[in-house]
Amino acid sequence: MSDRRTFLKTGLAASLGLSGASYAKNYPTTPAPKSNKAFRILHMTDMHIRPEHDAPRRYTRIMKEALKSAGKIDLVLNGGDSIYAADYNHIKKGRVLEQWKIWDDTIMPPLKGIEILHALGNHDMWWATAKTDPMYGKDYVLQRLGQKERYTSIERGGWLIITLDCNNAGLLDDEQLNWLHAEMKRLPDTPMLVMSHQPILLVSDVIKSGLNKRQKQIINPFVDGKTHARPVHFISGHVHILDTLAYNNVSFHCNGAFSGAWWEENIYAKDCSYQGTPMGYSIIDIYPDGQFVNQYHDITDCKDGKIIK
Ligand SMILES: [Fe+2]
Ligand SMILES: [Fe+2]
């Protein structure tokens, strides 16, 4: 694997050794110490798997090396845009089936036996068919992913891990927003990792236009401003660009795309990168005391407009 650069994006300061639910203040540039107590997560997002550009073979090679270098993976979080695209008006049934077949035949086999949670990506759903068609919309995607719920929560490694479905006008529908806040209150001191496909917050949102009403509704209840508030980390993909920010105890990490520029060798840059972010995946280590490390691994396999591996 071309693991030329590893981006240590965010850590959480070491625990102050306080009992119970006290956590060190979250400083995003502080790397956490290495420890074998980590619960290790592979966050792969924007796979956009497709038959073109030799993507299935490249994925198989890259994932084999990624799993080997990670040592152990306790959980895979798939951030959505699993297939290249089913959402455009011109997409026909055969194209949808073709992409999901590669998902079944190529993407899933190396991950067999590892727990996996999926988020729905905006390109995963097929809308250009009748609403009565069993392949229409979100239910079919969930069926192909082997997951019952479009949003869900699990408790692992001392953390509450949540996946959201942001494919709604204004990110979250009311039902889901209420559920998220109920989950937050159900375990009020437990560190949280929240995965969505679309970012809940980006640096560019703040720079461009401030937060919209829904972003405020999602985020504000988590930001209690106390010195030792429990850490909350939102992770996402969708924009194919690395983007991290922190707001009191709450951090937002948008990771780059496994597919880079949709696996294409020469569309925006000759190395398959997209706006400066290389193809990659993240290894996230979470610790019972609230420490969090998100390492982005560069898997670039293109150079000078050609696939090189
Ligand atoms: Fe994407
Ligand atoms: Fe997307």
Side-chain angles (χ1 to χ4, degrees), residues 256-274:
F258 203 104
S259 60
W262 297 267
W263 299 99
E264 300 195 23
E265 307 93 302
N266 201 9
I267 180 171
Y268 297 109
K270 292 183 177 179
D271 60 357
C272 289
S273 65
Y274 180 66

Side-chain angles (χ1 to χ4, degrees), residues 46 48 81 123 197 238 240 262:
D46 297 86
H48 288 287
D81 280 357
H123 290 297
H197 176 62
H238 179 59
H240 296 213
W262 297 267

Side-chain angles (χ1 to χ4, degrees), residues 196-216:
S196 57
H197 176 62
Q198 293 87 343
I200 304 296
L201 184 63
L202 292 167
V203 171
S204 51
D205 288 331
V206 181
I207 293 170
K208 283 180 190 165
S209 56
L211 306 191
N212 65 35
K213 183 181 169 191
R214 203 47 134 188
Q215 285 173 312
K216 288 177 188 166

